[in-house]
Amino acid sequence: QVQLVESGGGLVQAGGSLRLSCAVSRGTFTNYAMGWFRQAPGKEREFVGTISRSGTNTYSGASVKGRATISRDNAKNTAYLQLNSLKPEDTAVYYCAAHRTDYTGSYSVDPNRYHYWGQGTQVTVSS
């Protein structure tokens, strides 16, 4: 089955930046819209960002608007989440997910629409 592996998390000070990566294998990367979600202890899973199969359409959640950039490199079968101006409230486990779709320009903010998930990478932001 399709495998997703996140990397790039770690401990950073408030105001710092991180770039998370999601490597996809055992599947055709270009068949999937990609999404990023996060979950902090005791909180619900939260949408962070998504990018369409084509890479031309992106959308990010309100909590990271202006601070997050989602991208993909189809030659490397990898999706990315760039996080800037990090805040303590950004502390969470970040997950990438893949949504198989027939439409090159589509995306989804609903985690229930995603077929495959990675194991997550921890991001901790100190104040």
Side-chain angles (χ1 to χ4, degrees):
Q1 60 180 346
V2 176
Q3 182 177 3
L4 288 71
V5 180
E6 302 96 334
S7 62
L11 174 64
V12 298
Q13 289 186 313
S17 299
L18 284 174
R19 189 180 74 161
L20 308 183
S21 299
C22 177
V24 179
S25 61
R26 299 186 179 183
T28 304
F29 182 62
T30 53
N31 285 344
Y32 299 92
M34 300 297 296
W36 287 94
F37 299 82
R38 67 186 183 185
Q39 188 165 19
K43 295 186 177 181
E44 296 293 321
R45 181 172 48 187
E46 180 185 21
F47 169 75
V48 177
T50 183
I51 186 168
S52 64
R53 285 174 55 190
S54 65
T56 59
N57 296 327
T58 61
Y59 184 76
S60 60
S63 62
V64 295
K65 189 71 175 179
R67 302 187 298 113
T69 302
I70 187 168
S71 61
R72 65 191 296 159
D73 187 339
N74 288 342
K76 297 181 178 179
N77 293 338
T78 302
Y80 302 95
L81 177 65
Q82 177 72 37
L83 298 170
N84 300 321
S85 301
L86 286 164
K87 306 174 181 179
E89 294 77 20
D90 295 320
T91 296
V93 176
Y94 284 71
Y95 299 92
C96 67
H99 170 54
R100 196 180 194 282
T101 175
D102 292 335
Y103 303 100
T104 59
S106 67
Y107 60 85
S108 179
V109 302
D110 183 358
N112 295 315
R113 302 295 296 272
Y114 286 83
H115 299 88
Y116 304 103
W117 292 80
Q119 296 299 308
T121 185
Q122 176 71 48
V123 172
T124 303
V125 184
S126 62
S127 59

